[in-house]
């Protein structure tokens, strides 16, 4: 059997495997009588017809409770999106559920306790369906990428549900989806994740999701065909509204047009109180920017760069901007909040209103995968704090069940962006379950013969190993930060086959094709960054082989690592690199991946520093990978002070320049863009990793994954007065706070959680003294080995450490 065939079979096996977190209860197994149901409408026969009105179906099922209820649990999912209600009340807080996956491989279902929503004997379960990524429009992004062709499975939205009622008398009853459900078409006449929603309030069906409705004119639900994916219980944070944002300003740049400024750029929708005549239409458009005359600039959020007639294909709009429409039913007061879509915007343009809206009548709804947010960083620099806030907002805005590169133009889960930023995300949020889901998305996206760029797969496959290696590199960070050895063991055989595929695609070791340091201001050969990622993967597999006790393959991957390191060294270090190349990325890559021999590192350090000095304004010119590498290597091999001075500057290019230009999220490019590039892109958010690793000094130890033992080495730049930093490790909260109290004097506060040991490294000079208190008790001289050197270990406890000017006693 060919190795490629084995890899394909393993992909199939792992796509159908439930993890321990997912398999606690089999709800939709072979013996389940719940069936997929949908409406009776057929898909359009040609692309242009997809853009006509296609009202979203609403389904209802009345049932009678047969006695006092102990507990009622709803299990539900869809291909597309669903919104469930019980007796008219929303079920749960989730939006855009279920999470986007390859529906032909796996579909996640949600579980809700609906006991409090049941009312007496007569009840009604209601479900509305949206298209999501299962029934996308045939928009031809960039003129040629059509999701209806590129996604592995598309079709009419369909759903499956089971309500289990446990009565107090010990009996159990199941209400399942089948042909006894009824459906009609509701007020959402169009819905698309990119183009938005058209809502006709005149089509609302009063009390459609309440018991007692005369639904004799409704149609019987039709049995749908399963999309094919195995149903698995969702184990990761759902998408939920986490913040309601009040506008900071409303103004009218021209007659009949109102601009609502939300104050910050974010991802989500809105809710608004409206007044208008029956049949009139109000139109909402969204953008990250406004033009100088105050009118909306939607161009950085246009889907797939569709900006002129004919690009998007038959029936597509000339410009694929984000928009919603609401048609009035004529009541005194109406509320509108679009469903089954999401936008990225700071500015909302409203046309069709007779009177100017009031700020209190509008709320922006910021939603994202609700990852635990227990970590924090703040400091004495307002600029650094603004960069941190913008970075966190950018990260969350790009978490809509997949980690996207931009949440408007593409919404895709690009692997290169994950490789660049996953540690940054982990420093800010608990990403363990989210990234487990990400890894499974890659399992489902990959094939046995080529590298793909996104998970779920969207037909894009040109970026190469630096993108698909997110499958393996994300596993490593789960291991490093959370000591997640379970996923390593679960996927180890597939990981080995993936490495065999990489060897087939790059038989000589050197990576010759793919995308390199994306958005670098100077060229970077893929032979450098691509082969460095291949080297990183070989080293990861060496570690994984050791974890599972596979000594033979540990040696194999060690030899591969040495081979790849020597290939890069021979090409990019041993001989002069001629031609135009970003030397910042060059030397930071060599140092980050430990390619330069120890006795030659001084030359590499000097070359890196010179490359920075020769950069624009003495700043970074690096791209997606080089920025991560240079933040780390310039700090490690030269000084975090140098990095601080660059980050804490408003000169172009840099993060401070973005903030100075009014950015509230991080841009896709160093250069400001008002037409082409996203203004909400995580790629350059790697600066937050530097905050935690160097200003907070909190770093995992690869030899002791999961922070059983870790490094605590905060840097104290001269122009920074204090830092407050917390990180929630698997063992508990780590605290690293410091303050400059006087010249050459510092007050440190550190918290080490139970079960952990910190290797503390503080700069202590010959004319400085150091003292320690643990849990408010002074530590006697000699109790901590190495204390006076500034390099020592601390176990569980709360510490105050004083480093003060003055000769040691």
């Amino acid at each position: 059997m060919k190795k490629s065939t084995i890899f394909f079979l393993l992909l199939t096996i792992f796509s159908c495997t439930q993890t321990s977190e997912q398999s606690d209860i089999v709800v939709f197994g072979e013996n389940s009588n719940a069936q997929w149901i949908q409406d009776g409408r057929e898909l359009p026969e040609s692309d242009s017809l997809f853009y006509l009105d296609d009202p979203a179906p609403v389904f209802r099922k009345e049932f009678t409770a047969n006695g006092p209820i102990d507990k009622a649990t709803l299990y539900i999912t869809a291909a597309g999106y669903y919104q469930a209600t019980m007796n008219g009340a929303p079920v749960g807080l989730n939006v855009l559920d279920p999470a986007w996956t390859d529906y032909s491989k796996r579909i996640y279902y949600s579980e809700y306790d609906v006991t409090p929503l049941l009312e007496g004997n007569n009840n009604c379960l209601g479900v509305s369906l949206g298209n999501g990524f299962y029934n996308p429009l045939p928009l031809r992004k960039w003129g040629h990428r059509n999701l209806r062709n590129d996604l592995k499975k598309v079709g009419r939205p369909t759903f499956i549900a089971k309500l289990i009622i446990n009565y107090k008398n010990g009996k159990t009853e199941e209400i399942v989806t089948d042909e006894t459900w009824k459906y009609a078409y509701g007020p959402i006449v169009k819905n698309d994740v990119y183009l938005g929603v058209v809502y006709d309030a005149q089509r609302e069906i009063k009390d459609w999701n309440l018991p007692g409705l005369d639904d004799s004119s409704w149609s019987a639900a039709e049995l749908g065909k399963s999309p094919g994916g195995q149903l698995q219980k969702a184990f990761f944070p759902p998408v939920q509204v986490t913040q309601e944002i009040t506008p900071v300003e409303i103004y009218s740049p021209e007659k009949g047009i109102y601009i609502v400024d939300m104050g910050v750029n974010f991802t989500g929708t809105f809710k608004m109180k409206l007044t208008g005549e029956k049949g009139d239409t109000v139109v909402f458009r969204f953008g990250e920017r406004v033009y100088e005359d105050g009118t909306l600039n939607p161009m950085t959020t246009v889907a797939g760069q569709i900006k002129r007639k004919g690009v998007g294909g038959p029936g597509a709009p000339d410009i694929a901007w984000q928009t919603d429409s609401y048609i009035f039913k004529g009541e005194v007061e109406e509320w509108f909040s679009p469903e089954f879509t999401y936008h990225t915007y700071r500015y909302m343009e409203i046309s069709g209103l007779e009177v100017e809206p009031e700020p209190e009548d509008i709320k922006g709804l910021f939603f994202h995968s609700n990852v635990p947010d227990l970590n924090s960083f703040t400091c004495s620099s307002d600029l650094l704090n603004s960069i941190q806030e913008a970075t966190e907002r950018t990260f969350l805005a790009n978490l809509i069940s997949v980690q996207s590169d931009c949440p408007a133009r593409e919404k895709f889960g690009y692997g290169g962006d994950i490789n660049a930023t996953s540690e940054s995300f982990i420093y800010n949020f608990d990403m363990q379950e989210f990234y487990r889901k990400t890894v499974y998305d890659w399992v489902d996206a990959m094939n046995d013969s080529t590298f793909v760029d996104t998970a779920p797969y969207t037909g894009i496959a040109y970026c190469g190993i630096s993108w698909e290696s997110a499958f393996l590199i994300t596993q490593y960070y789960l291991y490093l930060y959370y000591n997640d050895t379970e996923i390593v063991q679960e996927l180890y055989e597939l990981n080995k086959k993936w490495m065999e595929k990489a060897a087939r695609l790059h038989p000589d070791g050197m990576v010759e094709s793919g995308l390199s340091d994306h958005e670098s201001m100077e060229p970077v050969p893929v032979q450098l960054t691509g082969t460095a990622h291949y080297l990183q993967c070989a080293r990861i597999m060496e570690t994984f082989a050791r974890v599972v006790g596979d000594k033979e393959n540990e040696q194999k991957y060690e030899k591969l690592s040495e081979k790849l390191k020597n290939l890069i060294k021979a090409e990019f270090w041993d001989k002069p690199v001629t031609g135009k190349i970003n030397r910042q990325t060059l030397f930071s890559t060599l140092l980050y991946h430990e390619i330069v021999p120890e006795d030659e590192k001084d030359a590499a350090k000097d070359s890196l520093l010179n490359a920075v000095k020769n950069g624009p304004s003495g700043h970074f010119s690096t791209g997606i990978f080089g920025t991560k590498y240079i933040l780390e290597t310039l700090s490690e091999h030269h000084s975090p002070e140098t990095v601080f001075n660059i980050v804490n500057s408003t000169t172009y290019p840099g993060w401070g320049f973005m903030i100075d230009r009014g950015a509230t999220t991080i841009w896709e490019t160093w250069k400001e863009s008002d037409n082409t590039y996203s203004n909400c892109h995580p790629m350059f958010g790697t600066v937050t990793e530097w905050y935690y690793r160097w200003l907070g000094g909190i770093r995992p130890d690869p030899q002791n994954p999961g922070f059983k033992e870790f490094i605590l080495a905060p840097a104290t730049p001269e122009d920074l007065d204090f830092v407050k930093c917390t990180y929630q490790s698997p063992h508990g909260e780590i605290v690293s706070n410091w303050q400059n109290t006087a010249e050459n004097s510092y007050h440190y506060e550190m918290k080490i959680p139970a079960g952990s040991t910190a290797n503390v490294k503080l700069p202590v000079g010959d004319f400085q003294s150091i003292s320690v208190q643990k849990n408010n008790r002074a530590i006697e001289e000699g109790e901590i080995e190495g204390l006076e050197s500034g390099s020592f270990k601390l176990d569980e406890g709360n510490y105050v450490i004083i480093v003060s000017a003055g000769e040691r006693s």
Side-chain angles (χ1 to χ4, degrees):
M1 185 178 293
K2 291 183 179 180
K3 290 182 177 179
S4 60
T5 304
I6 296 172
F7 181 68
F8 179 76
L9 290 173
L10 282 170
L11 284 174
T12 304
I13 291 169
F14 284 110
S15 292
C16 299
T17 299
Q18 287 186 316
T19 65
S20 59
E21 289 94 335
Q22 298 164 310
S23 58
D24 54 338
I25 181 171
V26 179
V27 176
F28 298 109
E30 292 182 2
N31 297 323
S32 173
N33 53 0
Q35 300 179 77
W36 290 90
I37 61 173
Q38 62 186 61
D39 69 343
R41 185 166 291 173
E42 298 292 330
L43 290 171
E45 294 183 356
S46 61
D47 283 357
S48 62
L49 300 179
F50 277 89
Y51 295 91
L52 300 179
D53 287 357
D54 181 16
V58 294
F59 297 78
R60 67 190 311 271
K61 173 69 176 179
E62 290 197 36
F63 61 94
T64 301
N66 297 313
I69 294 172
D70 181 46
K71 186 176 182 181
T73 307
L74 176 66
Y75 303 91
I76 184 170
T77 191
Y81 293 137
Y82 72 86
Q83 189 66 51
T85 61
M86 183 67 75
N87 297 321
V91 172
L93 301 174
N94 299 359
V95 296
L96 303 184
D97 217 40
W100 182 19
T101 57
D102 177 348
Y103 301 105
S104 71
K105 298 291 182 65
R106 75 182 83 215
I107 304 170
Y108 293 110
Y109 65 85
S110 294
E111 174 185 340
Y112 302 97
D113 181 358
V114 295
T115 313
L117 302 181
L118 297 183
E119 299 174 352
N121 292 330
N122 298 321
N123 295 275
C124 180
L125 178 56
V127 175
S128 56
L129 288 183
N131 292 318
F133 285 96
Y134 189 65
N135 191 32
L137 290 172
L139 274 173
R140 295 179 186 173
K141 297 179 180 62
W142 308 282
H144 64 281
R145 291 253 68 101
N146 179 352
L147 281 179
R148 298 203 69 82
N149 298 330
D150 291 336
L151 293 176
K152 294 180 181 178
K153 186 71 176 180
V154 294
R156 290 291 296 177
T158 180
F159 79 104
I160 187 170
K162 178 184 290 188
L163 175 65
I164 299 178
I165 304 174
N166 296 309
Y167 293 101
K168 291 185 177 179
N169 63 7
K171 294 184 178 181
T172 298
E173 182 181 9
E174 292 185 358
I175 309 296
V176 299
T177 44
D178 55 24
E179 292 168 294
T180 64
W181 285 58
K182 295 285 195 77
Y183 80 90
Y185 292 104
I188 301 175
V189 295
K190 293 183 180 181
N191 71 96
D192 179 69
V193 289
Y194 294 98
L195 299 187
V197 165
V198 176
Y199 187 98
D200 186 351
Q202 299 171 111
R203 296 176 55 94
E204 290 178 350
I205 305 171
K206 186 177 181 181
D207 299 335
W208 72 271
N209 50 6
L210 294 178
L213 178 77
D214 180 5
D215 59 9
S216 58
S217 64
W218 287 44
S219 302
E222 299 203 359
L223 296 183
K225 187 176 180 181
S226 166
Q230 187 185 49
L231 293 171
Q232 300 178 359
K233 183 180 176 182
F235 59 91
F236 44 84
V239 178
Q240 296 179 335
V241 176
T242 63
Q243 185 181 357
E244 293 191 359
I245 301 173
T246 302
V248 297
E249 183 183 11
I250 299 176
Y251 63 90
S252 177
E254 56 187 83
K255 186 176 180 180
I257 299 292
Y258 299 101
I259 299 292
V260 180
D261 180 1
M262 292 294 179
V264 294
N265 201 26
F266 67 100
T267 291
T269 54
F270 65 95
K271 62 180 179 181
M272 183 174 178
K273 184 169 70 175
L274 297 165
T275 302
E277 297 295 323
K278 182 176 182 179
D280 285 353
T281 300
V282 58
V283 177
F284 306 86
R285 291 196 308 153
F286 306 87
E288 298 177 309
R289 310 176 70 90
V290 290
Y291 293 112
E292 289 186 4
D293 63 0
T295 58
L296 182 75
N297 177 357
M299 303 307 285
T300 61
T301 59
V302 167
Q305 302 290 8
I306 299 170
K307 297 179 179 178
R308 66 179 188 276
K309 186 177 179 61
V311 173
D318 294 349
I319 302 177
W321 45 45
Q322 309 171 107
T323 183
D324 295 317
S325 299
Y326 181 86
I327 302 170
F328 288 98
K329 59 186 172 184
E331 295 188 358
V332 175
E333 184 179 290
E334 303 178 33
W335 282 90
F336 174 48
S337 184
E339 295 180 278
F340 306 136
T341 192
Y342 60 103
H343 309 303
T344 302
Y345 72 104
R346 172 175 173 170
Y347 301 96
M348 177 167 64
E349 175 198 89
I350 307 175
S351 59
L353 286 181
E354 294 297 326
V355 296
E356 180 173 332
E358 297 294 331
E360 57 268 25
D361 293 338
I362 305 172
K363 295 291 183 184
L365 303 180
F366 186 7
F367 56 66
H368 51 80
S369 296
N370 197 4
V371 289
D373 182 8
L374 300 175
N375 306 337
S376 64
F377 176 91
T378 188
C379 67
S380 59
S381 166
D382 291 339
L383 180 57
L384 263 62
N385 291 339
S386 294
I387 294 169
Q388 173 67 10
E389 291 170 7
T391 300
E392 288 185 23
R393 190 177 296 115
T394 304
F395 285 2
L396 293 174
N398 280 277
L399 293 181
I400 305 293
S401 78
V402 302
Q403 181 181 320
S404 59
D405 72 322
C406 56
R409 183 185 68 219
E410 296 177 57
K411 306 180 188 280
F412 298 160
Y414 281 98
D417 300 73
I418 295 171
N419 278 343
T421 62
S422 52
E423 285 190 277
S424 297
F425 273 83
I426 289 169
Y427 269 117
N428 284 276
F429 311 105
D430 182 350
M431 297 294 293
Q432 184 174 14
E433 303 306 337
F434 185 96
Y435 277 154
R436 270 181 160 260
K437 189 263 184 186
T438 298
V439 170
Y440 297 133
D441 285 343
W442 281 101
V443 170
D444 296 346
M446 296 186 302
N447 61 63
D448 61 352
S449 57
T450 60
F451 291 130
V452 301
D453 299 350
T454 69
Y457 179 59
T458 56
I460 305 172
Y462 73 92
C463 295
I465 194 169
S466 291
W467 267 249
E468 189 173 287
S469 58
F471 160 69
L472 188 60
I473 292 173
T474 306
Q475 290 180 58
Y476 176 71
Y477 290 136
L478 286 170
Y479 165 76
L480 177 63
Y481 283 86
Y482 303 108
N483 194 25
D484 192 342
T485 57
E486 183 180 284
I487 199 164
V488 174
Q489 293 166 340
E490 175 191 344
L491 297 178
Y492 183 65
E493 292 301 318
L494 184 59
N495 292 340
K496 289 195 299 182
K497 295 301 179 184
W498 186 87
M499 290 296 290
E500 290 176 5
K501 181 177 82 166
R504 291 196 304 272
L505 293 174
H506 301 295
D508 298 326
M510 185 68 75
V511 173
E512 299 287 353
S513 61
L515 192 58
S516 62
D517 198 22
H518 179 54
E519 292 305 330
S520 165
M521 297 174 73
E522 297 178 276
V524 176
V526 71
Q527 290 83 352
L528 174 66
T529 53
T531 313
H533 278 118
Y534 192 7
L535 168 62
Q536 185 177 5
C537 290
R539 288 171 172 164
I540 287 171
M541 285 304 294
E542 183 183 346
T543 299
F544 285 0
R546 186 163 54 251
V547 169
V548 302
D550 183 356
K551 292 190 177 298
E552 180 181 347
N553 278 299
E554 182 181 352
Q555 294 173 356
K556 172 185 172 181
Y557 294 124
E558 182 182 14
K559 290 179 181 178
L560 176 60
S561 301
E562 193 66 21
K563 172 188 172 181
L564 296 174
K565 184 182 80 170
N566 289 333
L567 281 175
I568 300 171
K569 177 175 173 289
E571 186 67 24
F572 294 102
W573 178 252
D574 289 344
K575 61 184 181 182
V577 178
T578 58
K580 195 164 180 61
I581 186 172
N582 189 323
R583 304 185 79 80
Q584 293 185 8
T585 298
L586 169 63
F587 295 115
S588 62
T589 301
L590 295 174
L591 287 167
Y592 186 90
H593 291 284
E594 299 179 335
I595 292 163
V596 180
E598 191 66 35
D599 60 355
E600 299 176 30
K601 276 189 177 178
D602 285 345
K605 298 174 190 178
D606 292 342
S607 296
L608 176 61
L609 185 58
N610 286 333
V612 173
K613 289 179 178 177
N614 292 328
S617 306
H619 283 198
F620 301 146
S621 59
T622 45
I624 184 171
F625 306 122
T627 303
K628 174 184 174 70
Y629 298 162
I630 202 167
L631 286 163
E632 182 71 14
T633 56
L634 194 61
S635 298
E636 179 182 355
H637 297 295
H638 183 62
S639 171
E641 185 93 33
T642 304
V643 176
F644 171 79
N645 290 334
I646 293 172
V647 176
N648 196 41
S649 167
T650 57
T651 302
Y652 170 82
W655 299 271
F657 176 78
M658 299 181 194
I659 300 300
D660 193 51
R661 293 290 299 155
T664 59
T665 48
I666 302 299
W667 300 343
E668 182 178 3
T669 54
W670 294 120
K671 186 177 180 180
E672 187 170 13
S673 174
D674 64 358
N675 184 279
T676 303
Y677 297 104
S678 170
N679 286 193
C680 185
H681 204 283
M683 187 171 72
F684 288 130
T686 45
V687 68
T688 188
E689 178 187 342
W690 178 79
Y691 284 2
Y692 279 89
R693 285 180 63 86
W694 288 94
L695 299 183
I698 302 171
R699 301 171 214 160
D701 177 1
Q703 303 306 315
N704 296 276
F707 289 85
K708 182 173 181 61
E709 196 164 320
F710 63 96
I711 297 165
L712 199 47
T716 56
E718 184 177 346
D719 290 333
L720 201 59
D721 294 331
F722 70 83
V723 160
K724 294 182 179 180
C725 186
T726 64
Y727 178 78
Q728 194 72 25
S729 79
H731 294 276
E733 184 183 52
I734 298 170
V735 175
S736 177
N737 301 336
W738 61 263
Q739 183 174 5
N740 185 352
T741 54
E743 186 176 357
N744 294 322
S745 298
Y746 293 88
H747 176 105
Y748 297 90
E749 295 175 355
M750 297 178 177
K751 180 180 179 182
I752 316 302
S756 283
T757 300
N759 290 298
V760 180
K761 298 178 182 179
L762 301 177
V764 180
D766 292 338
F767 296 98
Q768 289 177 300
S769 61
I770 183 169
S771 61
V772 180
Q773 284 187 353
K774 178 181 180 181
N775 300 332
N776 297 317
R777 180 185 71 84
I779 299 294
E780 298 295 330
E781 187 176 345
E783 282 190 55
I784 299 178
E785 184 179 351
L787 178 63
E788 290 191 354
S789 69
S791 183
F792 51 91
K793 290 181 180 290
L794 295 179
D795 57 13
E796 173 192 356
N798 293 284
Y799 296 87
V800 174
I801 302 172
I802 306 296
V803 176
S804 54
E807 193 168 352
R808 299 180 190 175
S809 58

